[in-house]
Amino acid sequence: MRTNVYIDGFNLYNRAVKDTPYKWLDLSKLCQALLPRHDIHRIRYFTALVHARPNNLQAPQRQQIYLRALKTIPNLTMEFGQFRSRIKERPLVTPTPGQSRNVLVYDTEEKGTDVNLATHLLMDGYDDDYEQALVISNDADLALSISMVRNKLQHPVGIVNPNIDPQKVMPKELRDAATFNRRLHESVLRKCQFPPTLQDITGTITKPNTW
């Protein structure tokens, strides 16, 4: 079955690979592993460009290396939202007596990813660009668009929960909206890695040392 895969990159990173040795994830291999008997027609990857922070100055460089690796996948396209970082004052849950009840924190929000994903999912479905869609995310805000594709456009839509922690379940709204749902397992991440080095038209791409 001709299938498009829609990947919430920020959600996948934070739920599945952030604190693991599997950040160098080959999304083409991942899609084939999740749907081995289907034709992966298109992979749409939704993310945002990260900013350097005092405790993580190299994050933008590592991300650019990874995005360059992803560009070697012929049927993958990228859509970018935005990260907005601000310093905000937030209250402490258990303040120390005699000290301020509030602290200053970095507040980072990703804007646009869920809207971009939902829009492409709907428009591709309307254009019959796929027979089936697979969404990798556990963002409950996507439930309505998934339900519309399934019920109005009559295309089955599966959801993969990127949480590799079995204690973290998929939101009920997503389970109810989807045709089928699955969980992402660590064993799949392990076998779906890029090689340490690969080539594109400009030269060699090397996995970041800290990954």
Side-chain angles (χ1 to χ4, degrees):
M1 184 178 289
R2 189 174 76 254
T3 302
N4 283 7
V5 183
Y6 300 81
I7 302 174
D8 181 341
F10 186 65
N11 200 279
L12 176 64
Y13 178 82
N14 282 286
R15 308 288 181 178
V17 303
K18 182 178 179 181
D19 296 317
T20 76
Y22 309 126
K23 299 182 185 72
W24 197 231
L25 185 61
D26 184 331
L27 297 181
S28 179
K29 290 180 181 177
L30 177 65
C31 294
Q32 291 291 347
L34 293 170
L35 294 170
R37 292 180 294 277
H38 295 265
D39 171 26
I40 306 300
H41 173 244
R42 191 186 307 281
I43 304 169
R44 292 197 184 275
Y45 180 70
F46 300 86
T47 190
L49 298 178
V50 301
H51 304 294
R53 284 188 171 184
N55 63 341
N56 197 359
L57 295 176
Q58 301 303 312
Q61 290 88 336
R62 291 194 299 270
Q63 184 189 42
Q64 287 300 320
I65 293 170
Y66 183 59
L67 296 180
R68 185 179 164 197
L70 290 181
K71 289 178 182 178
T72 65
I73 301 173
N75 62 339
L76 182 144
T77 57
M78 302 181 196
E79 303 291 337
F80 292 93
Q82 293 182 331
F83 277 114
R84 296 179 183 173
S85 296
R86 293 176 292 178
I87 297 176
K88 289 187 176 181
E89 187 172 320
R90 293 287 189 238
L92 291 165
V93 175
T94 55
T96 302
Q99 296 187 13
S100 173
R101 298 179 59 87
N102 298 326
V103 293
L104 295 178
V105 299
Y106 282 108
D107 183 78
T108 301
E109 297 178 295
E110 187 190 21
K111 296 291 188 180
T113 291
D114 54 351
V115 174
N116 291 343
L117 194 158
T119 301
H120 280 281
L121 178 68
L122 285 163
M123 291 304 298
D124 288 347
Y126 181 80
D127 291 338
D128 286 325
D129 191 59
Y130 56 78
E131 297 173 287
Q132 172 183 262
L134 185 72
V135 176
I136 302 178
S137 179
N138 70 345
D139 186 344
D141 290 342
L142 298 172
L144 178 59
S145 58
I146 290 169
S147 178
M148 292 177 69
V149 170
R150 180 185 177 189
N151 297 315
K152 298 295 185 181
L153 302 181
Q154 299 296 302
H155 293 306
V157 183
I159 301 178
V160 174
N161 180 2
N163 272 311
I164 59 174
D165 182 350
Q167 302 299 318
K168 296 180 179 179
V169 300
M170 181 182 296
K172 183 178 184 300
E173 302 96 311
L174 287 179
R175 295 199 307 272
D176 291 345
T179 310
F180 63 91
N181 64 81
R182 297 177 181 174
R183 175 179 291 281
L184 186 57
H185 296 282
E186 184 178 353
S187 59
V188 174
L189 297 175
R190 185 181 303 114
K191 70 179 183 181
C192 293
Q193 298 292 298
F194 281 118
T197 61
L198 56 159
Q199 298 290 322
D200 64 6
I201 59 173
T202 61
T204 301
I205 307 166
T206 304
K207 176 181 176 180
N209 290 332
T210 57
W211 285 10

